[in-house]
Amino acid sequence: MKAAALNPDRPLASRTCDSRSGAASGAGRWGSLLALRQAVIAVAALCLIGGCASVRNFDETRGWPAAKIYAEARDEMNTRNWARAIKLYETLEARFPFGRYSQQALLELAYSQWKDAEPIQAIATLDRFLKLYPTHPSADYAWYLRGLINFGSELGLLGSLSRQDVSERDPRSARESFDSFREVVTRFPESRYAPDAAARMKFIVNMLASHEVHVARFYLRKGAYVAAANRAQTALTTYPQAPANEEGLLIMVKAYDAMGLTDLRNDAERVMRANFPKSKYLAVDPRADGRRWWHFW
């Protein structure tokens, strides 16, 4: 085989330049393809990110009328799907704050928050409702529900598990509960919630009195007789009809006796015998061992 002959009429420099030009043209094409590939990848990545964001921000309730949002929220509440119900009620309130469903939605939102273990948010929602609509036909229910939330929070999960006596806990929630139930009883005496509110008020009164007596008992055991007598006296004057005052009077008798205040001790004993003649504390034989009857405790 013969080697290809060089064209003697073409200068060697021209042939070299042609070779370089071809190589440069090929490199340019590869560079363009690489740039195109990178651009495609970038566009695909942007589309993917945008698609994920669209999915993440998708709102199925967009365009729904107020009636449909309310109906869906009510269904979720009735099936005890509290978190979903809360979200729908909040959506309804945000989009239709002055619509026909917004007022009822606030009440049901508060109920759902309470059941979803969010008592602080529930009370805040009820306070907002009562401030906006103080004469609403369901204002009695709002006050009643507010009382129930504070009434329930007085115990709580830890208190239930530990079986802690209600008289040993901070009484602030109990007082707020009492005030809410009192609103129902005094402002809405014909309300269907009034009888239960009144019954709960009686329970709370004795619970608050029991708290004072519990503190008085603690002081008595520590030898702080003045403080013991004062706390028992507070229970007696603040909650005069509370059954817990039976022990409160006993504490007063013991505290005054320990301080040598005979007249005050005798007065407390007289009041105790007059109000609790069948007291279990009085059932002890007062002279069986030569001690006064209150010395048994």
Side-chain angles (χ1 to χ4, degrees):
M1 179 183 290
K2 294 183 179 180
L6 295 175
N7 186 354
D9 298 326
R10 189 176 185 186
L12 182 59
S14 288
R15 293 196 298 270
T16 303
C17 289
D18 288 344
S19 175
R20 291 176 178 174
S21 176
S25 176
R29 285 195 299 271
W30 279 111
S32 298
L33 290 174
L34 182 60
L36 178 62
R37 179 184 178 187
Q38 292 173 341
V40 170
I41 293 174
V43 171
L46 289 175
C47 291
L48 181 61
I49 294 173
C52 291
S54 299
V55 172
R56 187 167 55 249
N57 297 326
F58 175 73
D59 182 4
E60 65 174 336
T61 66
R62 181 171 297 175
W64 286 11
K68 184 174 182 179
I69 298 177
Y70 176 77
E72 290 290 329
R74 190 69 182 267
D75 288 343
E76 297 292 352
M77 184 182 71
N78 290 336
T79 57
R80 299 178 179 273
N81 188 358
W82 310 119
R84 175 64 175 161
I86 290 171
K87 183 176 181 181
L88 288 169
Y89 283 128
E90 289 176 342
T91 299
L92 176 61
E93 185 188 6
R95 293 184 189 172
F96 307 96
F98 305 108
R100 55 177 295 197
Y101 297 99
S102 61
Q103 299 176 17
Q104 184 63 27
L106 271 178
L107 292 175
E108 294 175 14
L109 170 61
Y111 180 83
S112 299
Q113 289 170 328
W114 175 40
K115 289 298 184 179
D116 200 38
E118 298 179 358
I120 296 177
Q121 292 87 333
I123 290 176
T125 300
L126 289 171
D127 288 345
R128 182 152 45 93
F129 174 87
L130 290 167
K131 183 177 181 180
L132 291 172
Y133 316 108
T135 60
H136 192 276
S138 296
D140 60 334
Y141 171 75
W143 282 110
Y144 177 74
L145 180 58
R146 194 179 190 282
L148 282 181
I149 294 172
N150 277 310
F151 188 86
S153 65
E154 183 60 27
L155 182 59
L157 177 61
L158 295 179
S160 300
L161 294 177
S162 64
R163 300 179 182 272
Q164 184 186 27
D165 192 309
V166 291
S167 67
E168 300 175 8
R169 294 192 291 275
D170 191 327
R172 283 177 296 182
S173 294
R175 292 194 183 101
E176 290 190 15
S177 179
F178 182 89
D179 291 341
S180 296
F181 288 138
R182 183 171 55 189
E183 289 288 332
V184 177
V185 173
T186 56
R187 292 179 54 189
F188 312 97
E190 302 301 321
S191 169
R192 62 174 178 168
Y193 306 108
D196 186 68
R200 291 177 186 274
M201 286 174 66
K202 292 180 180 179
F203 176 85
I204 293 172
V205 163
N206 191 55
M207 184 175 70
L208 293 172
S210 296
H211 174 77
E212 297 296 329
V213 172
H214 171 77
V215 176
R217 188 191 312 126
F218 171 80
Y219 284 139
L220 185 67
R221 289 174 177 170
K222 294 295 184 180
Y225 301 118
V226 174
N230 287 341
R231 292 304 287 259
Q233 181 69 33
T234 297
L236 185 65
T237 55
T238 307
Y239 315 105
Q241 304 300 321
N245 286 324
E246 178 182 357
E247 184 182 355
L249 284 166
L250 172 64
I251 291 174
M252 291 173 65
V253 170
K254 293 176 69 67
Y256 290 140
D257 183 66
M259 291 186 289
L261 302 175
T262 306
D263 291 342
L264 292 177
R265 180 201 66 195
N266 292 339
D267 287 344
E269 180 180 353
R270 177 180 52 79
V271 173
M272 184 174 183
R273 289 187 181 277
N275 287 275
F276 303 97
K278 297 182 179 180
S279 172
K280 62 181 180 180
Y281 304 116
L282 295 173
V284 178
D285 185 357
R287 302 295 184 273
D289 56 0
R291 297 184 300 169
R292 297 291 293 178
W293 59 270
W294 59 80
H295 288 167
F296 83 95
W297 182 78

